[in-house]
Each structure stands twice: as C-alpha cells, then as structure tokens.
C-alpha cells in the first residue's frame, strides 16, 4: 500500500511530484523518493521518513527533468530506510511499485545468475533488473509484456527509461492505478485524489493492463500487449476541503464533522416529505434476497458486525459476516439468493477487493458500501451505496465508521419495511429518530473536556479492555481498535458476558476497563458483568446514556452519559466518547495522530 505518481510534461516536474506525494502519504510514509530524467541521465533522490524529509535533505529545485516518478512507501520487503526506498533504478530503468512480488526470491536468483547486482532488500528491485534483462533481447513493448507475465503477485508500477526522454509506463495487477490528462502533460497515480489538483479527467487501469504515457498522448494495452481503447471519466468537481482548518489534526476535524456528514447521508437516503427511505436503482427484486453476507476489514468489519445485529433485529434474513482476508481463502458455499455487501472506506483494500472479485467470478449479487465512489470496489460491484462522508484523511477511521453504519442501518430498515417485517408506525418512528441523530451527535461531542481528563489513565496502563453486549459489542471492538492504533496501548474489545470464560484473568488492580452499558435490553446483564470486573480491582469507565433512573452500581471510577435515543441508534452515540478517548490519549503522548506508526490509510496489499 504504497503511493505512486508519474508525470510526463513540457516543464519541470519535481515540484508537482512532491505535491502529489504529500497527498499520497495516507498510503505510506516510512520513506519517499523521486527519480527524474534529465540530460539523458536518471537522477534519484530518496529519504527515510516523510516527504518532508526528502524536501529537507535535498535541494529539489535543482532536480531538473520534464519527466519523473515518485513514491511513498509502506514497507513490506526490507526495513524502511533510504536504500529500500523507491524508486529503484539501474543505469537504464527506474521503477516505483505498489504491491508485492511473490516470486521475487526466484527471480532474484535468476537475475544474479545473469550478472545483475542488487542494492536493496526489496522485492521491487527484481522488476528493474528483469526489465533491463528483457530489453537486451526484445523491443520495449514486448519486453514489458514479457516482464509483467513473469511477475507473480500484485503491482501498480511506474517506470521510466534513460533512453526514452518523455515516456512513463504504468502497469496494474491487483493494486489500483489511474491515468490523468492535463494540458501538455499527462499523469500516472495510485488514485485520482493524488491527481485532483492537476486534472479531473481520469482513466482507471484494469488488472493486466498497462499504458504508455507521454506528455501529449496516452496509449493503453491489454496483458498480451494489444492496443485497447479506454474511457476517460470526468470526475465531479469536489467541493470537499482537504485542509485541517483550525484543527490540530485531521482526526479531530473528522470527529467534529460527524453531525454534518450524518446529515448529508440522511439527506441522500431519507425522503423528508414521505418520511420514507429511498434506495434508488436497487437492481434486485426483494424476494430474490434470502440472506446477506457482509465483508470488510478493520473498522469496516466492525461496521459489518454492527449491521448483523440490526439486520437480525429488524428482518428475518439470514445474516453472516466475515473478515475479507479470511473469506477470500475460505471454501465458500456461494448462493444465488445471498446479497454480498462489501464495506470499505477507501474502496481499495486489497483483501476486500479480492473477496468481491471472487463473488463476481461466481456471479453473485454484489453491493459496495464505500466512501470513495471512484474506487475499484465501487466500480466493480453491481450496486453502490455511497456513505457521503467526504475525504477521510486521518488513518484512524472515524466519520467513515459512522457513515458506514448509517447506510447499513438505513438498508436494514428499508429491507424490513419492504419485507413487511416492521409495522409502518414503528418504521415511521425510527426514521423520525434517525433524522434527529445528527443533533444528538452534536450534543454528545460536547463531552470533550470530561473525556480529555480521563484519557491519561489509559496511557499509563499496561493494557485496557472495552466491554459491551448486543448492539454495544461492535462498538467495544471499535473503541479498542481506535485506542491501540493511535496510542499504542494494548486494548481488547470483548463481549461483556464472555469475560468469565478467560479474559477475566487479565483484570488486576487499577486496570482501566471501559464498559458500554446503555439503557437497552442488555443493560442489566452488562451491569452484572461490570460488577465482576469491579470486584477484581478494575478502574471502570462506564459509558451509558442519560436516564432518570439511577445506576445501581458502586465503585465505578468514572461515568460518561451520552444523549438518549431509541436502542438501535445508541451505538452511534457510544462511538463518540471512544473516538475522543483514543484521540486524547495519543495527543498526550505526542504521537502522530493522523499517521500512526506502521499503518496506512489504504491497505492495498494482502
Ligand atoms: C481504521 O481505523 C483502520 N485504520 C483500518 O482498520 C481500516 O478500517 C481498514 O484497513 C479497512 O479500510 P477500508 O475501510 O478502506 O477498506
């Protein structure tokens, strides 16, 4: 899940490459590099760490060249340092790569035998030498077709050549790649976001395809090297603001944006006049769907779990969920009457895409719940339900999580109504409550100071637990994931009733434990489970919703009360304090909140 960029222009490209790389940093940020071609020579600059380091370490103004490629890395093979940073170059060829070459060890052996010398520990370097080797006996196009066929695994590639002064080759298998068209220049990029400041005219490469990009023309080829025509898409002008504004971090901004993003989502799907839900162009008849399978990774998987509870509560559909990296290798029993729903913020997650691809190959009904509507998952699904959140830049997903569960809740309600499983009065009531949700989120966000004060206890602890039952269990998992990814504190999410079957052994004096116990059907049971951890010395932070009834529990360390709504919608409100808890813990530790260590926003490798 690295980011790549390439520009072939009539003017110097290093500045534009740097700007695009900064946009791509969400994909990887452990090293960065650029190669340009000037005066018949490939010039390469690389640095460990951020693009900023590259700017500080080199005088990039002096890096001339009207053609160049750039890369931000998320290490797979070889430690993150400047030697392993991309581009990787021989005297004749320079390559940037996103993906993993699975047969790199074998290819390296073969190339060493041919006298090639390797500098790095990366899998990517074999591509450089393989092209160089194939060029000895073949013309360029044939050499590229041959090289791509010899590579196993996944890749998006940008390649420049010493002897081809305005050519960039792009190639895709598994990892996303887009071509952009500008005035007297053309571009290659991992996504349209990186190219947005330069163009809104985009073509996406499909698996197996490659392209030749010159400043005044682009040609596309299929995997056999046969020329093909491809559509140019005009992307909608994006009004979204990619700046942090007055916020210290994108994450803080994205948390605070949630009332607005939910409002937008509700407006897209709820017909205010008829108080009904609209899912336009749903391509299947309702009785064609007997069961649902939801698939995602990380936070998106938690959205799937949340949806399972709602679908089961509101419909009699069979509902299953799976983690994409498991689903893709499982012996699946594909069923025609199952709707396969793929949940992904980026729409580019490799495991989720592979699961979708598998379903498509088996002619299943596929539906994407995504934020990025130009993404591979959106493009290759039969039907798309966008979450309408606007760009999410912070690596830790916040507004996209609420956006995903909003759309999935809306879908469960609509299916329940179409299947006549919910009384009309209840349906109307739930839609009314839904419309009121953004206001309640806004009020819950005001709990800021209370959470900030509590957060240091979590930093100082060896570990922590997040417990919940029923609708609150997926939120407990999400809260634990947020804390671990941002503040690097060990955190486990558990169903509260499961503690006594093992994890209770972890509880010791002073261990912070978050208990999610809203006043829903599970309330009393959760409070009993809470007593079990209190009795063993845990410092319990109870998160519940406002109520007239007193909480019948002593020895709670802290209590936070979110607003009140119907039971279905409480998970939205419970999420807010957990997002803030993770944010403030990381802030106090001085960690890089928008780019936590070892992670990337878009995970385009297996
Ligand atoms: C969320 O905070 C994580 N950074 C991560 O779990 C993420 O949700 C996961 O990688 C899936 O990404 P996607 O939604 O873009 O598919």
């Amino acid at each position: 899940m690295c980011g790549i960029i390439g520009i072939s222009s009539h003017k110097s490209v290093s500045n534009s490459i740097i700007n695009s790389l900064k946009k791509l940093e969400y994909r990887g940020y452990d090293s960065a590099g650029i190669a340009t071609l000037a005066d018949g020579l490939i010039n390469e600059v690389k640095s460990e760490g951020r693009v900023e380091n590259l700017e500080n370490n080199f005088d990039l103004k002096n890096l001339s060249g009207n053609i160049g490629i750039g890369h931000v890395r998320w290490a797979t093979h070889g430690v993150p340092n400047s030697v392993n940073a991309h581009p990787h170059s021989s005297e004749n060829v320079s390559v940037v790569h996103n993906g993993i070459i699975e047969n790199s060890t074998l290819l390296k052996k073969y190339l060493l035998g041919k006298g090639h010398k390797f500098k790095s520990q990366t899998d990517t370097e074999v591509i450089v030498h393989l092209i160089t080797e194939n060029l000895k006996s073949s013309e360029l196009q044939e050499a590229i077709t041959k090289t791509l066929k010899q590579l196993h695994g996944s890749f998006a590639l940008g390649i420049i050549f010493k002897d081809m002064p305005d050519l960039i080759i792009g190639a895709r298998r598994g990892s996303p790649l887009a071509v952009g068209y500008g005035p007297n220049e053309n571009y290659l990029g991992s996504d349209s976001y990186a190219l947005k400041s330069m163009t809104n005219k985009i073509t996406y490469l499909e698996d197996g395809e490659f392209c030749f990009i010159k400043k005044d023309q682009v040609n596309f080829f299929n995997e056999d090297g046969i020329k093909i025509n491809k559509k140019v898409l005009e992307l909608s002008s994006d009004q979204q603001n990619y700046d942090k504004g007055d916020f210290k971090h994108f994450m803080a901004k994205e948390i605070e944006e949630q009332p607005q993003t939910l409002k937008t989502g509700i407006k897209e799907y709820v017909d205010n006049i008829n108080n009904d839900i609209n899912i336009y162009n749903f391509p299947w008849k309702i009785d064609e769907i007997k069961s649902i399978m939801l698939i995602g990774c990380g936070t998106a998987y938690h959205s799937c779990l949340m949806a399972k509870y709602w679908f089961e509560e509101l419909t009699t559909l069979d509902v299953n969920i799976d983690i994409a990296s498991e689903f893709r290798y499982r012996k699946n029993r594909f069923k025609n009457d199952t709707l396969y729903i793929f949940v992904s913020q980026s729409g580019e997650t490799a495991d989720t895409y592979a699961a979708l691809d598998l379903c498509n190959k088996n002619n299943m009904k596929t539906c994407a719940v995504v934020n990025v509507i130009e993404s591979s998952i959106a493009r290759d699904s039969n039907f798309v339900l966008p979450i309408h959140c606007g760009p999410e830049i912070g690596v830790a997903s916040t507004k996209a999580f609420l956006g995903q569960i909003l759309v999935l809740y809306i879908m469960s309600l609509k299916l329940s109504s179409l299947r006549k499983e919910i009384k009309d009065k209840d349906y109307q009531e739930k839609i009314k409550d839904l419309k009121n949700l953004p206001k309640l989120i806004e009020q819950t966000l005001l709990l800021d100071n209370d959470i900030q004060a509590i957060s240091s206890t979590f930093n100082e602890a060896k570990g922590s637990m997040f417990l919940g039952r029923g609708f609150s269990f997926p939120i407990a998992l999400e809260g634990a994931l947020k804390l671990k990814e941002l503040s690097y504190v060990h955190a486990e999410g558990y169903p509260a009733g499961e503690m006594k079957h093992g994890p209770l052994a972890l509880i010791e004096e002073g261990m912070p434990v978050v208990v999610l116990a809203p006043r829903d059907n599970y309330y009393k049971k959760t409070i009993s489970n809470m007593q079990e951890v209190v009795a063993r010395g845990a410092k319990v932070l109870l998160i519940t919703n406002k109520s007239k009834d007193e909480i019948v529990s002593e020895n709670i360390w802290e209590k936070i009360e979110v607003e009140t709504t119907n039971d279905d919608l409480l998970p939205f409100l419970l999420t807010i304090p957990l997002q803030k808890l993770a944010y403030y813990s990381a802030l106090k530790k001085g960690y890089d909140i928008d780019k936590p260590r070892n992670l990337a926003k878009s995970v385009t490798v297996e």
Side-chain angles (χ1 to χ4, degrees):
M1 52 216 186
C2 308
I4 71 178
I5 178 82
I7 305 180
S8 176
S9 177
H10 62 288
K11 57 177 199 257
S12 171
V13 291
S14 55
N15 219 7
S16 305
I17 290 182
I18 285 286
N19 289 338
S20 301
L21 286 183
K22 285 182 182 161
K23 295 212 179 85
L24 285 169
E25 272 196 319
Y26 77 92
R27 303 176 73 90
Y29 35 84
D30 57 42
S31 55
I34 301 181
T36 60
L37 188 64
D39 305 323
L41 286 177
I42 293 172
N43 307 302
E44 193 188 86
V45 290
K46 313 200 277 193
S47 261
E48 194 179 325
R50 300 285 160 85
V51 178
E52 205 184 359
N53 290 1
L54 197 65
E55 282 178 301
N56 294 337
N57 294 347
F58 298 96
D59 185 3
L60 295 174
K61 277 189 222 92
N62 289 337
L63 188 67
S64 56
N66 295 355
I67 179 165
I69 49 179
H71 189 268
V72 282
R73 180 169 186 246
W74 184 84
T76 56
H77 288 58
V79 293
N81 60 22
S82 59
V83 177
N84 289 330
H86 301 210
H88 291 284
S89 312
S90 67
E91 200 192 318
N92 298 321
V93 181
S94 187
V95 174
V96 285
H97 168 217
N98 170 29
I100 296 178
I101 304 305
E102 286 167 357
N103 58 342
S104 61
T105 313
L106 265 181
L107 288 172
K108 189 168 176 178
K109 210 166 148 201
Y110 159 74
L111 291 159
L112 284 168
K114 294 271 178 190
H116 292 264
K117 302 257 178 303
F118 285 78
K119 294 177 250 177
S120 75
Q121 303 161 308
T122 65
D123 52 340
T124 304
E125 209 182 343
V126 298
I127 306 172
V128 178
H129 294 288
L130 199 56
I131 297 172
T132 310
E133 184 61 29
N134 287 335
L135 277 171
K136 287 181 189 164
S137 54
S138 314
E139 289 300 312
L140 180 66
Q141 197 177 317
E142 195 190 327
I144 293 299
T145 313
K146 187 170 168 192
T147 303
L148 299 180
K149 288 196 170 163
Q150 285 171 296
L151 300 174
H152 296 175
S154 64
F155 51 78
L157 300 174
I159 313 163
I160 56 171
F161 304 84
K162 178 169 100 62
D163 299 326
M164 326 243 167
D166 72 342
L167 176 71
I168 301 176
I169 294 184
R172 172 190 171 160
R173 190 196 297 154
S175 306
L177 200 57
V179 168
Y181 308 85
N184 224 348
E185 55 184 26
N186 291 311
Y187 322 100
L188 181 73
S190 288
D191 59 26
S192 57
Y193 173 52
L195 307 180
K196 246 174 193 164
S197 62
M198 303 184 282
T199 184
N200 69 338
K201 291 193 175 58
I202 298 284
T203 298
Y204 292 102
L205 268 80
E206 299 299 328
D207 275 352
E209 293 175 353
F210 65 95
C211 59
F212 281 23
I213 301 176
K214 295 186 171 188
K215 63 176 183 295
D216 48 6
Q217 72 178 107
V218 181
N219 289 306
F220 294 94
F221 304 88
N222 70 11
E223 59 192 339
D224 296 318
I226 301 188
K227 212 165 158 188
I228 50 170
N229 292 324
K230 290 191 65 81
K231 265 198 224 143
V232 179
L233 309 172
E234 203 144 320
L235 301 184
S236 55
S237 63
D238 201 332
Q239 303 304 320
Q240 303 298 340
N241 186 355
Y242 290 94
D243 292 330
K244 286 199 281 265
D246 289 339
F247 292 92
K248 257 194 175 155
H249 301 98
F250 279 108
M251 184 185 179
K253 176 174 174 257
E254 287 156 6
I255 291 174
E256 299 300 326
E257 272 172 359
Q258 291 176 115
Q260 191 49 50
T261 53
L262 288 177
K263 234 184 247 171
T264 311
I266 293 167
K267 223 168 87 192
E268 289 292 331
Y269 292 103
V270 175
D271 169 353
N272 247 332
I273 299 170
N274 299 312
N275 212 39
D276 194 3
I277 290 167
N278 282 328
I279 297 181
Y280 294 109
N281 305 322
F282 191 68
W284 306 285
K285 289 199 190 97
I286 210 63
D287 54 9
E288 284 179 74
I289 297 163
K290 301 269 185 293
S291 64
I292 288 182
M293 176 65 149
L294 295 127
I295 297 163
C297 303
T299 289
Y301 171 72
H302 297 156
S303 300
C304 298
L305 181 58
M306 190 67 248
K308 179 176 162 71
Y309 279 94
W310 283 324
F311 275 113
E312 285 177 348
E313 186 72 23
L314 296 166
T315 75
T316 54
L317 288 160
D318 275 342
V319 189
N320 288 299
I321 59 169
D322 209 346
I323 291 171
S325 55
E326 290 298 310
F327 178 87
R328 63 183 291 190
Y329 293 115
R330 190 190 301 296
K331 260 196 178 169
N332 289 295
R333 315 271 183 279
F334 289 106
K335 288 194 198 135
N336 286 329
D337 57 9
T338 298
L339 174 61
Y340 291 82
I341 303 179
F342 299 86
V343 184
S344 173
Q345 187 285 131
S346 61
E348 298 294 352
T349 300
D351 286 319
T352 312
Y353 183 82
L356 164 68
D357 195 41
L358 190 65
C359 291
N360 281 340
K361 284 185 175 134
N362 283 278
N363 295 319
M364 293 296 106
K365 301 178 176 69
T366 57
C367 168
V369 174
V370 291
N371 196 24
V372 182
I373 51 169
E374 304 103 5
S375 61
S376 308
I377 291 175
R379 281 182 283 125
D380 291 351
S381 296
N382 301 151
F383 185 59
V384 183
L385 290 169
I387 64 169
H388 300 289
C389 280
E392 187 181 67
I393 310 292
V395 165
S397 194
T398 51
K399 63 176 181 174
F401 176 64
L402 287 201
Q404 289 161 359
I405 63 173
L406 173 77
V407 168
L408 292 166
Y409 179 64
I410 284 175
M411 196 173 174
S412 63
L413 255 186
K414 183 68 183 177
L415 290 192
S416 177
S417 153
L418 291 172
R419 291 165 58 87
K420 305 202 182 335
E421 291 179 316
I422 187 170
K423 287 190 198 123
D424 200 45
K425 189 174 139 279
D426 295 344
Y427 179 63
Q428 296 287 326
E429 203 53 43
K430 283 182 192 288
I431 292 178
K432 215 172 99 207
D433 287 345
L434 187 63
K435 288 198 279 193
N436 198 35
L437 182 65
K439 207 174 86 209
L440 300 181
I441 297 279
E442 213 167 277
Q443 286 158 1
T444 305
L445 283 165
L446 299 175
L447 291 167
D448 203 79
N449 288 343
D450 305 0
I451 299 160
Q452 202 168 341
I454 290 166
S455 61
S456 43
T457 298
F458 285 81
N459 287 339
E460 287 148 18
K462 253 189 352 216
S464 59
M465 305 216 78
F466 289 67
L467 310 179
R469 294 182 83 125
F471 288 0
S472 303
F473 167 49
I475 307 303
L477 292 182
E478 177 58 8
L481 178 65
K482 286 289 91 90
L483 188 70
K484 63 185 132 187
E485 74 177 329
L486 286 165
S487 66
Y488 320 148
V489 168
H490 186 76
E492 285 300 332
Y494 253 95
E498 183 67 8
M499 287 295 285
K500 53 191 176 290
H501 299 291
L504 206 52
L506 294 171
I507 304 291
E508 53 186 30
E509 200 60 40
M511 182 185 193
V513 174
V514 179
V515 177
L516 302 176
R519 324 293 175 123
D520 58 10
N521 281 343
Y522 305 88
Y523 177 63
K524 283 193 183 138
K525 300 283 172 203
T526 313
I527 293 295
S528 305
N529 297 140
M530 182 176 78
Q531 293 305 351
E532 293 158 9
V533 293
V534 168
R536 284 155 183 88
K539 251 177 140 174
V540 166
L541 164 60
L542 171 67
I543 305 185
T544 184
N545 57 322
K546 288 181 181 163
S547 161
K548 291 186 291 309
D549 305 332
E550 266 304 295
I551 287 165
V552 275
S553 179
E554 290 153 18
N555 303 324
I556 297 165
W557 165 57
E558 288 286 354
K559 181 178 75 179
I560 285 187
E561 288 178 325
V562 301
E563 296 301 312
T564 292
T565 178
N566 75 47
D567 289 2
D568 298 355
L569 298 179
L570 286 169
F572 288 88
L573 301 176
L574 296 175
T575 304
I576 301 294
L578 302 186
Q579 293 173 339
K580 285 194 177 258
L581 182 67
Y583 176 78
Y584 283 119
S585 303
L587 189 70
K588 285 203 176 126
K589 286 178 141 179
Y591 288 163
D592 193 342
I593 291 184
D594 287 329
K595 295 188 174 75
R597 72 180 178 202
N598 304 337
L599 302 180
K601 183 71 182 160
S602 181
V603 186
T604 56
V605 291
E606 238 196 287

